[in-house]
Amino acid sequence: MATQLQLCYGKVPLYLRFGGIFGLLSLAAVGPGRWATFGRAVVLLVLLRRWWKCFFRWPSRVLVWKERPLEPSVEGLHKRFVELYLPDAEKGEGGEYAVLGAQKKLQISGQTLAFWDVGPRDAKDAVLVCNGLGARVMTWAPLLTALRNTSASWAQRRLVIFDYRGQFDSVPLQGEISVERSAKDAAELADHLKLKRCILLCWSTGVQIGLQLALDRPDLVAAMVLIQGTTGEAMKALLQPLCQVPGVPSLLDFGLQMAPRLLKSHRQMMHGALVRHRSAFERLGSCLLWFFGSDLIAAAGVRYTQDMLQSDEHFVNYCRYALALGRHKIFSRLPDIKAPAFVVTGTPDFITPARCSYDMAVQLGGPTNLLVKDSTRPS
């Protein structure tokens, strides 16, 4: 009972934020007289600000590296990763070619694991990156740019990023898919690279894997950065921003189990359409995503969907990973994780709700800081 009260108390700031949002929308919709006009004016200003930021691509202008702004495209993201970590790579074939050329592979427990190991090999600090499901290495380019601009020490950090088994070049799949297995893969990769201690940089799916790794190998994990993840049993949180909604976890499970079967005859057609009409889908995405803020790059979203549907095997494994996130139970063991943690979240994220990050900040056993970032403006 005490734990539940502590968790509820910890989320008071979140619910105050939601209350303010819903209050403003209610005022604009049904408020009396001048108050309704005021509410509508505030909502309109918020929407105009987001449209303006997207129209002028403010994040790409702000995320400058050596006087070069970030180009908001898949190739631009790859080029930025090359600029940051592969300055000597052959650039004649483009940024993506150079990034893929730097990829390495390792056999772990019968599985080929694709990974990148960049930055100084003799670095005192090593950063092990745990990706979101289906995310590519290039999606980290904006954050890495900001980190390198903010702190000169980031140039002296070794960076290790790996693809989960059964995804991208870590194919074909060998063995089972589970959060525990992915955490073990990460630990074995770190041991192979002789990393004694490392900082975990985790996003979305990677948060659960990072938490499991910190629980299994406390000797390896020096600290954690946990960006917009869940506290295990993900289906109880996804698309449920305020609280668990009865029936939704079962519905999500059923949908993920059925998706490979239902899309099998259409997957290739859908993937082909995304590839052939990439520009049109990117323009459509830009028209839709401005509402959520300009840090969302439509080109990366289109590429994400292409990657997800690239083959029957990849899509099946993608769905199996999502189901594994729902089976992963770690919440009750979070107090056993003593590594320092920096938890990052944003109220508007309805996919991996901010409430999970608030709970994480309360439950983790080590020193923990929570950053709530609701603005799209870099800080």
Side-chain angles (χ1 to χ4, degrees):
M1 185 64 178
T3 300
Q4 293 301 319
L5 288 174
Q6 190 177 13
L7 292 172
C8 289
Y9 177 75
K11 289 196 287 288
V12 167
L14 173 66
Y15 290 128
L16 288 175
R17 288 169 182 265
F18 273 124
I21 294 170
F22 293 147
L24 179 62
L25 293 176
S26 299
L27 191 67
V30 297
R34 293 179 180 178
W35 286 108
T37 303
F38 172 77
R40 290 165 191 162
V42 173
V43 170
L44 179 61
L45 286 173
V46 170
L47 294 177
L48 282 175
R49 178 178 177 272
R50 289 188 171 183
W51 178 84
W52 188 268
K53 284 167 66 72
C54 289
F55 182 81
F56 286 101
R57 294 177 174 174
W58 282 2
S60 65
R61 293 173 183 268
V62 172
L63 292 177
V64 173
W65 178 251
K66 295 184 177 179
E67 301 183 354
R68 290 189 291 271
L70 177 65
E71 177 188 330
S73 68
V74 171
E75 180 61 14
L77 293 170
H78 280 106
K79 284 181 179 178
R80 176 52 52 85
F81 190 84
V82 171
E83 291 169 356
L84 293 174
Y85 289 101
L86 304 169
D88 299 324
E90 177 59 49
K91 303 177 181 65
E93 299 293 333
E96 183 168 1
Y97 177 86
V99 171
L100 291 176
Q103 187 183 73
K104 302 175 182 178
K105 293 186 178 180
L106 175 69
Q107 288 289 321
I108 291 180
S109 302
Q111 172 70 51
T112 298
L113 207 67
F115 70 98
W116 286 263
D117 180 11
V118 294
R121 297 297 183 275
D122 58 349
K124 181 180 178 181
D125 295 324
V127 179
L128 179 61
V129 176
C130 298
N131 264 328
L133 178 58
R136 283 183 176 269
V137 62
M138 55 90 177
T139 55
W140 289 96
L143 177 59
L144 293 172
T145 302
L147 290 170
R148 291 282 288 268
N149 281 325
T150 303
S151 173
S153 65
W154 265 89
Q156 307 305 318
R157 287 188 167 99
R158 185 176 180 179
L159 191 71
V160 178
I161 307 174
F162 69 103
D163 287 337
Y164 303 128
R165 56 174 61 206
Q167 296 283 285
F168 301 117
D169 288 320
S170 294
V171 293
L173 173 68
Q174 301 294 325
E176 83 282 5
I177 286 177
S178 69
V179 172
E180 292 82 359
R181 177 67 262 181
S182 292
K184 189 174 181 181
D185 286 343
E188 291 185 29
L189 175 60
D191 290 341
H192 171 79
L193 297 175
K194 296 181 171 55
L195 303 181
K196 301 299 183 185
R197 298 276 283 172
C198 61
I199 299 167
L200 301 184
L201 179 57
C202 312
W203 168 53
S204 189
T205 300
V207 169
Q208 287 183 238
I209 292 167
L211 291 172
Q212 187 65 48
L213 179 58
L215 188 63
D216 295 343
R217 289 287 305 274
D219 61 301
L220 178 63
V221 179
M224 306 179 290
V225 178
L226 308 170
I227 305 172
Q228 207 66 35
T230 72
T231 52
E233 297 183 280
M235 297 308 137
K236 293 182 178 180
L238 300 184
L239 306 176
Q240 302 157 80
L242 295 175
C243 60
Q244 183 183 335
V245 180
V248 171
S250 298
L251 185 62
L252 290 173
D253 270 340
F254 179 75
L256 287 167
Q257 290 170 18
M258 295 299 295
R261 203 176 312 167
L262 294 173
L263 293 184
K264 187 170 185 179
S265 58
H266 304 292
R267 181 206 56 79
Q268 190 170 2
M269 178 271 293
M270 293 167 64
H271 179 264
L274 284 165
V275 172
R276 289 191 302 272
H277 306 293
R278 175 182 55 81
S279 297
F281 279 104
E282 288 178 6
R283 285 195 294 271
L284 176 63
S286 297
C287 291
L288 297 174
L289 293 178
W290 70 267
F291 179 82
F292 298 98
S294 55
D295 281 355
L296 293 169
I297 298 175
V302 173
R303 179 59 179 270
Y304 181 94
T305 310
Q306 288 180 17
D307 288 339
M308 181 175 64
L309 298 170
Q310 65 182 262
S311 69
D312 289 336
E313 180 187 12
H314 193 277
F315 185 60
V316 168
N317 290 340
Y318 181 95
C319 293
R320 289 176 62 191
Y321 263 107
L323 288 166
L325 296 173
R327 294 191 300 268
H328 181 228
K329 297 181 179 181
I330 197 172
F331 181 77
S332 63
R333 301 193 66 189
L334 292 182
D336 297 331
I337 299 175
K338 305 299 183 183
F342 184 52
V343 182
V344 183
T345 190
T347 303
D349 191 334
F350 283 18
I351 298 177
T352 48
R355 63 184 175 90
C356 299
S357 295
Y358 280 79
D359 287 344
M360 209 180 299
V362 171
Q363 279 290 92
L364 285 169
T368 304
N369 289 319
L370 173 66
L371 172 66
V372 180
K373 183 66 174 166
D374 291 339
S375 170
T376 56
R377 182 176 59 194
S379 61

